[in-house]
């Protein structure tokens, strides 16, 4: 039975790329075993809430299972799962019901200065072993780049991510003639009816991203898509993410796990969830830069394949604590 004797919470700002902020939680039990968790881009009140309540919630308290710790924070939940599975000597993927030993990966490519440059970057990734590419698109950068990539690579499995940037379906319907597998997040998440209307008009599967099982149920009821974009750390707990997986599978939806930002801990949890049997689409943990990560081995793909760490317990990665403290902008302990 875990009993936390010490905890530390650190605010880390990554030094590369968009300088994403992460909130890291470290739990240490009576025997000195540790568990780590991460929330990427935490909501503004998360820090003060944990500073006020986390010590009283966990220090010296016996708990049977991570689900019995009502933290309301994904980083704390992940740290509890990491500690709990390390104590039992089992990988996180195995503990939550994962069945896969490796995952196919997609690589995400942002808009470029020119279409020729984008096609060249796609070529680099195909030569590196990727068989699935996701293009980030936006109004004004959509049909032409997709047409060019499809012309250059007729057999490449291709998806697009709209990041909720569209307000009408015209250009997105036009994209359907280029054999897309998935159109991710076409409209703001609140516009369920627009998603449903688009799914009726295209052969590609519309992918939706939600943060609760209740939100997913609304989409399932209206058949407003065919793919769940499952970002585990967007849910308050890994068990809640697992429930979303189960509901999507029961409805006949495919699932793509995503979580390419952060220090590596959130990516590791994404890989564990991606090993669940319903996660049939390529996993997205490849967002650069890799040198942001504070874990060993680095979480990423090799020749388009992501290994699920099944020989190590917990998340399956070692944290470079010295680097964490160098990157930390603030911390507290109890």
């Amino acid at each position: 039975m875990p009993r936390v004797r010490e905890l530390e919470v650190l605010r880390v700002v990554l030094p590369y790329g968009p300088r994403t902020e992460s909130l890291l939680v470290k739990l240490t039990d009576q025997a000195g075993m540790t568990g780590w968790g991460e929330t990427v881009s935490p909501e503004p009140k998360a820090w003060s809430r944990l500073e006020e309540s986390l010590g009283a919630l966990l220090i010296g308290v016996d708990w049977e299972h991570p689900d019995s710790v009502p933290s309301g924070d994904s980083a704390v939940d992940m740290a509890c799962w990491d500690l709990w599975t390390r104590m039992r000597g089992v990988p996180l993927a195995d503990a939550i019901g994962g069945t896969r030993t490796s995952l196919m990966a997609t690589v995400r490519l942002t808009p470029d200065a020119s279409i020729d440059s984008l096609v060249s970057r796609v070529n680099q990734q195909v030569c590196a072993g990727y068989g699935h590419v996701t293009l980030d698109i936006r109004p004004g950068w959509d049909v032409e780049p997709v047409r060019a990539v499809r012309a250059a690579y007729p057999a490449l499995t291709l998806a697009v991510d709209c990041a909720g940037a569209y307000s009408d379906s015209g250009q997105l319907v036009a994209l359907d003639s280029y054999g897309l597998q998935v159109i991710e997040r076409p409209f703001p998440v609140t516009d369920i009816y627009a998603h449903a209307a688009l799914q009726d008009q295209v052969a590609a599967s519309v992918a939706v991203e939600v943060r609760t099982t209740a939100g997913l149920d609304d989409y399932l009821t209206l058949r407003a898509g065919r793919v769940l974009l499952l970002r585990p750390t967007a849910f308050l707990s890994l068990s809640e993410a697992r429930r979303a997986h189960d509901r999507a599978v029961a409805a006949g939806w495919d699932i793509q796990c995503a979580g390419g930002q952060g220090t590596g801990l959130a990516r590791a949890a994404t890989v564990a969830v991606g090993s669940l049997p319903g996660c049939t689409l390529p996993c997205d943990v490849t967002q650069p830069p890799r040198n942001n990560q504070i874990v060993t081995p680095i979480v990423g793909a090799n020749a388009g394949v992501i290994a699920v760490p099944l020989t190590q317990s917990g998340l399956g990665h070692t944290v470079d604590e010295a680097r964490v403290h160098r990157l930390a902008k603030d911390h507290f302990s109890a």
Side-chain angles (χ1 to χ4, degrees), residues 304-326:
V305 177
I306 305 164
V308 179
L310 296 174
T311 60
Q312 300 292 327
S313 59
L315 288 168
H317 299 264
T318 301
V319 175
D320 183 346
E321 295 194 41
R323 186 164 192 239
V324 170
H325 283 275
R326 288 197 303 271

Side-chain angles (χ1 to χ4, degrees), residues 73-93:
D73 184 89
S74 61
V76 177
D77 177 77
M78 188 190 305
C80 289
W81 274 100
D82 190 31
L83 178 60
W84 189 77
T85 50
R86 288 181 189 277
M87 291 180 64
R88 283 156 178 73
V90 298
L92 176 61

Side-chain angles (χ1 to χ4, degrees), residues 206-265:
V206 173
V208 300
E209 180 179 3
V210 297
R211 294 175 176 268
T212 64
T213 51
L216 174 60
D217 287 343
D218 292 339
Y219 276 90
L220 296 178
T221 299
L222 291 176
R223 299 180 181 178
R226 289 199 296 260
V227 170
L228 169 61
L229 186 64
L230 182 58
R231 198 176 306 275
T233 58
F235 290 80
L236 292 181
S237 70
L238 291 177
S239 292
E240 179 75 355
R242 174 62 203 252
R243 285 190 286 272
H245 162 278
D246 294 347
R247 293 190 188 189
V249 169
W253 283 32
D254 292 312
I255 299 172
Q256 179 183 17
C257 265
Q261 294 184 326
T263 66
L265 294 166

